[in-house]
């Protein structure tokens, strides 16, 4: 019993730490956009390629023969390419582009409408009527997004139109990012899937965006922020979060991970001096509440089956 409690406590700490690192990662991106003339066209290719390479090098040392396993089967090759481009690459690029046009807090909250979209997709795919809590979660997600985007005024947007479009894109691609690689992760391991997804997605963006042609202000602060994004905001954050999922379960981890938009907002306000209005926080609450509504009801359903 004591060992189980210790595992649960460790899982909570690791999940919260992963969420905080993701939140700070977004704020580091915002810092680079605001003060170092960096764009998502430069940042995201470098982030994904560097993180993917480091993960695969780590796996090559630990599990040399398994690193190329995903390329030995036709289905594996197909699935990793789909995940890399339409999941990892588009999700990360749209998220950081949303930050570029708004701020880390708003971008993270907009991406958190993704769980509600996943519910909608699963209802259509499985041809089932949505449950009451699913409809409530969808309403909260849509209403929260509406509040953030308009502040209640239908005639004008409260955030740049590009931020809204890219934010919704990040939520939609989060559906692919979450659901599509499930088979890959069961067969080839989560870390291997993430490593190849980041490397391939980063290389495709390198080809499309040509970041070497861009000229941001590269100094010690830029290198430090980029290093944090790659190491702590990507590799360590994923590792901590996924380990936490194994220890506390997916539903509990999803709720704990809601620390991410909170952390991103706090860092945006305290560090980068972003000003939010009271109505923004109302929108935040509605969007983040969808995760709690979904996770709590799924936990009850799982408990009922046992």
């Amino acid at each position: 019993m004591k060992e189980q409690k210790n595992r649960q406590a460790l899982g909570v700490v690791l999940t919260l730490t992963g969420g905080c690192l993701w939140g700070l990662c977004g704020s580091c991106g915002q810092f680079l956009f605001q003060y170092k003339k960096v764009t998502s066209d430069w940042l995201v290719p470098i982030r994904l390629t560097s993180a993917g390479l480091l993960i695969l090098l780590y796996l090559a040392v630990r599990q040399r023969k398994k690193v190329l396993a995903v390329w030995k089967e036709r289905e594996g090759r197909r699935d990793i390419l789909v995940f890399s481009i339409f999941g990892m690459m588009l999700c990360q690029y749209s998220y950081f582009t949303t930050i570029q046009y708004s701020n880390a807090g708003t971008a993270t909250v907009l991406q958190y409408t993704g769980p509600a979209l996943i519910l909608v997709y699963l209802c259509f795919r499985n041809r089932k009527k949505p449950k009451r809590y699913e409809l409530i979660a969808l309403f909260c997600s849509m209403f929260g997004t509406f509040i953030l985007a308009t502040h209640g005024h239908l005639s004008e947007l409260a955030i740049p139109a590009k931020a809204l479009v890219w934010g919704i894109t990040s939520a939609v691609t989060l559906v692919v990012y979450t659901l599509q690689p499930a088979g890959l992760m069961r067969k080839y391991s989560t870390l291997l899937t993430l490593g190849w997804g980041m490397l391939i997605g980063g290389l495709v963006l390198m080809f499309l965006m040509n970041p070497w042609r861009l000229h941001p202000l590269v100094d010690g602060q830029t290198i430090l922020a980029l290093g944090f994004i790659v190491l702590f905001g990507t590799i360590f954050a994923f590792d901590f979060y996924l380990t936490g999922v194994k220890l506390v379960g997916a539903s509990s981890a999803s709720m704990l991970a809601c620390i991410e938009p909170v952390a991103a907002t706090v860092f945006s306000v305290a560090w980068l001096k972003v000003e939010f209005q009271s109505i923004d926080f109302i929108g935040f609450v509605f969007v983040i509440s969808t995760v709690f509504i979904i996770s709590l009801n799924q936990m009850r359903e799982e408990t009922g089956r046992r």
Side-chain angles (χ1 to χ4, degrees), residues 59-68:
L59 291 175
V61 173
R62 294 289 301 273
Q63 307 169 342
R64 186 178 302 175
K65 295 181 179 179
K66 295 182 179 180
V67 173
L68 298 176

Side-chain angles (χ1 to χ4, degrees), residues 12 16 19 26 28 40 42 66 72 116 130 132 168 173 185 200 202 215-216 223 232 244 262 287 296-297:
V12 168
L16 289 174
C28 284
S40 56
W42 185 87
K66 295 182 179 180
K72 295 180 179 179
R132 185 170 64 177
I168 293 173
T173 53
M185 291 181 177
I200 296 168
H215 302 287
I223 294 171
F232 292 93
V262 175
V287 172
L296 285 171
N297 280 277

Side-chain angles (χ1 to χ4, degrees), residues 10-28:
L10 178 61
V12 168
V13 171
L14 288 174
T15 306
L16 289 174
T17 302
C20 287
L21 288 175
W22 275 328
L24 184 51
C25 173
S27 295
C28 284

Side-chain angles (χ1 to χ4, degrees), residues 112-132:
Y112 264 64
T113 61
L117 296 180
I118 291 172
L119 282 182
V120 172
Y121 170 77
L122 290 176
C123 286
F124 275 108
R125 190 185 71 177
N126 299 327
R127 297 180 180 179
K128 67 166 187 172
K129 292 177 65 176
K131 298 175 182 177
R132 185 170 64 177

Side-chain angles (χ1 to χ4, degrees), residues 16-52:
L16 289 174
T17 302
C20 287
L21 288 175
W22 275 328
L24 184 51
C25 173
S27 295
C28 284
Q30 184 183 339
F31 168 78
L32 293 174
F33 297 145
Q34 282 185 202
Y35 299 109
K36 303 299 178 181
K37 299 181 181 178
V38 168
T39 64
S40 56
D41 293 355
W42 185 87
L43 176 60
V44 182
I46 293 174
R47 179 205 185 196
L48 291 181
T49 305
S50 301

